[in-house]
Amino acid sequence: MPEKIEELVRAALKAAQEAGELAEFDVPDCGIERPADTSHGEWTSTVALRSAKFAHTAPRNVAEAIVRHLPQGDIIDHVEVAGPGFINFYLTVGARCAVFAEARAQGADFARSNVGGGQKCQVEFVSANPVGPMHVGHGRWAALGDSLCRVMEHAGYDIEREFYINDHGSQMDVFGRSLVTRYLQLEELMRTRGISLDEAHEALEADRVAYVDDEEGAHPEEHPHATAFNETLGGNAYGGAYIIDEAARFVADDGDRWVGADEDERLIEFRERGYAHMLDDIKKTCADANCTFDVWFSERTLYERDESGTNAVERAFQALRDMGYLYEREGALWFRSTDLGDDKDRVLVKANGEYTYFASDVAYHWNKFQRVEHVIDIWGADHHGYIKRVACVCDALGYPGRFEVLLGQLVNLLRSGKPVRMSKRRGTMVTFRELLDEVGSDAARYTLISRSSNQMIDFDIDAVKEKSNANPVYYVQYAHARICSILRRAAGVTAEEAEELGMDAVAARAVGENVDLALLTDPAELALARKLSELEELIASCARDRAPFRLTHYAEELAGLYHAFYHDCQVLPSEGRPVAEELSRARLAACDAVRIVLALVLSLVGVSAPTSM
């Protein structure tokens, strides 16, 4: 519709100029906008305000000349000039309600655009160490990133989804040693107490819980195994319950085979097998959260040597060295990032020969830009200070302005308004898997993206599970289910029959053909039409601004408008409340359009649209 209004305004402007009422001038943009106040029409143009200085007359004079020459058509009811020169367009009922037919015809393709122009973008939206299950913060990045990818694809971008596996570095050995230590403790308990693996596992877990509960360390004698675990590893350990679970897998699979084994061989075995199992768990958790990835990128691959004898990190360093961005000082290798606007130069290789974490990122982002045109990383807010150095590397490698970072704030988990106690140091946390199991993927996904990424989320587990209109995801899904119920009744089919036919076929049977949408003149009906017509513009802005959270607000507003429509407008005749057949069919068509759009919006945020609740 804004394109049609633009065409009308340009035609009228040209006619006014040819009639000698306005001077000759060109305008690149007619300023077609949707007024916030619906009393000002469906669309407004600010072309007169933009062009008055070129026309050498007051904006209102320009607006009135344009209105006098507007071509006749069947979409405009009337036009008004308002204020200093706004041109307000009021559409006919038929034109306003045509969006219902468009949504029904286009289905899941409704509100598509090409604002992305096919640009190849990579979104890296989870970066995790495979040394434990995903935490709720990872879950927020997963929900945000996957929803962003869906939205950007709908707006015409070519998206590659990437998960970065932090599987290189000292944390992998810490993970392996943690598993080994718990394995040895299980074996010792079984041997010295003559108990089963399950009993040893239960004893270690009870000991761990006692350690966690003893915050002040007042009763160390009550948790000897956890204390020994931490002392053996010098406090540098992974202390979660999952480590005991993983160690028990080794006992179940291999028995005491590793008790007296070579320490280096044992560490590698435990590290690699534990890593593989953790990665499998992460992949399953992502799949259960309705998140898919095109690429699972292993940090280790950056250090693997090719046939030339060099690895990706060394080749990236050489590229920077050739451009004059590297130098050595006090035995360390430095990146000259101050030349590119950073506040200080950054170390790539320490004096002891150890690579910094930044070294991996240099090679990793170079690798990315050899695959895509634009890179979007989603990081935790605690990485804010890291952005500039990576941006400088991308600039140095020849990709200025093509790297961006979205920072995500943390998630505050609550139960009935009270904080859930967690401690990363002691290994106590609610995992993303546990959250999915308790509240479900739909509720988790919807809630985790319901706020801007730069805002913290208070995730109240009990409130999210509540099945009432106070729960936003339930409220939206219930609107979709209510529509499906109405369509089933109108089509005369059961829920089981509808499941077999599919809701599109049910809706076609319920509505029929040649529907007169111009009958939809009630304010509640027109409010629905206006809300549907806003979606394409909204999705485009969500994609441009990297803000998929706005779609949850839209879904709630649309559901609210539908519930108001259902209250005010009789859809199907009932005893004492007749409704004309043609009006009933038109309202059923409107219901079906809202069903399609609700399902589309929910799909863009990775949430299902149930047909019954």
Side-chain angles (χ1 to χ4, degrees), residues 494-553:
T494 65
E496 293 75 17
E497 290 169 334
E499 183 72 23
E500 184 175 340
L501 288 169
M503 282 309 304
D504 288 345
V506 171
R509 182 182 298 185
V511 176
E513 298 180 352
N514 302 318
V515 181
D516 185 2
L517 295 174
L519 295 173
L520 302 176
T521 58
D522 190 276
E525 296 163 340
L526 297 176
L528 280 178
R530 181 182 176 92
K531 181 55 67 173
L532 296 194
S533 70
E534 294 173 359
L535 186 58
E536 180 177 337
E537 184 180 352
L538 174 66
I539 291 174
S541 73
C542 289
R544 283 192 301 261
D545 299 342
R546 320 305 193 215
F549 76 94
R550 295 173 188 163
L551 286 175
T552 61
H553 301 174

Side-chain angles (χ1 to χ4, degrees), residues 246-301:
E246 285 299 305
R249 287 167 58 90
F250 279 89
V251 176
D253 292 345
D254 297 0
D256 63 359
R257 171 187 170 189
W258 299 103
V259 173
D262 175 80
E263 291 186 6
D264 290 339
E265 180 186 356
R266 184 172 61 194
L267 173 61
I268 293 171
E269 182 74 11
F270 276 61
R271 183 188 67 201
E272 295 307 306
R273 281 171 55 184
Y275 160 45
H277 188 251
M278 285 292 102
L279 185 57
D280 284 345
D281 179 75
I282 288 171
K283 288 183 176 181
K284 186 177 187 306
T285 300
C286 288
D288 289 346
N290 205 14
C291 290
T292 59
F293 293 90
D294 301 304
V295 178
W296 292 79
F297 193 98
S298 165
E299 184 183 1
R300 288 181 175 184
T301 62

Side-chain angles (χ1 to χ4, degrees), residues 543-597:
R544 283 192 301 261
D545 299 342
R546 320 305 193 215
F549 76 94
R550 295 173 188 163
L551 286 175
T552 61
H553 301 174
Y554 176 91
E556 290 156 38
E557 291 165 4
L558 179 57
L561 290 172
Y562 181 77
H563 291 311
F565 157 83
Y566 183 78
H567 179 270
D568 294 345
C569 302
Q570 185 77 6
V571 178
L572 298 176
S574 62
E575 186 176 351
R577 298 191 68 184
V579 57
E581 181 181 352
E582 289 306 306
L583 178 57
S584 177
R585 292 203 306 122
R587 286 175 173 170
L588 282 168
C591 289
D592 188 39
V594 174
R595 171 188 71 86
I596 289 167
V597 171

Side-chain angles (χ1 to χ4, degrees), residues 1-19 22-32 44-48 50-51 54 62-63 65-71 76 87 89:
M1 189 58 69
E3 294 81 9
K4 293 180 181 178
I5 303 295
E6 175 102 13
E7 289 176 9
L8 292 175
V9 171
R10 288 193 178 279
L13 177 59
K14 182 178 180 182
Q17 290 172 331
E18 290 175 349
L22 292 176
E24 292 288 337
F25 59 86
D26 293 322
V27 288
D29 184 357
C30 291
I32 309 301
T44 191
S45 173
T46 58
V47 65
R50 295 164 179 254
S51 60
F54 305 114
V62 177
I66 289 173
V67 170
R68 282 194 297 273
H69 289 273
L70 277 170
I76 305 298
I87 305 174
F89 292 84

Side-chain angles (χ1 to χ4, degrees), residues 371-393:
R371 294 181 275 141
V372 298
E373 300 171 61
H374 191 83
V375 167
I376 302 170
D377 287 358
I378 298 179
W379 298 346
D382 56 338
H383 285 67
H384 181 272
Y386 202 75
I387 297 175
K388 186 62 179 178
R389 70 190 71 178
V390 178
C392 287
V393 161

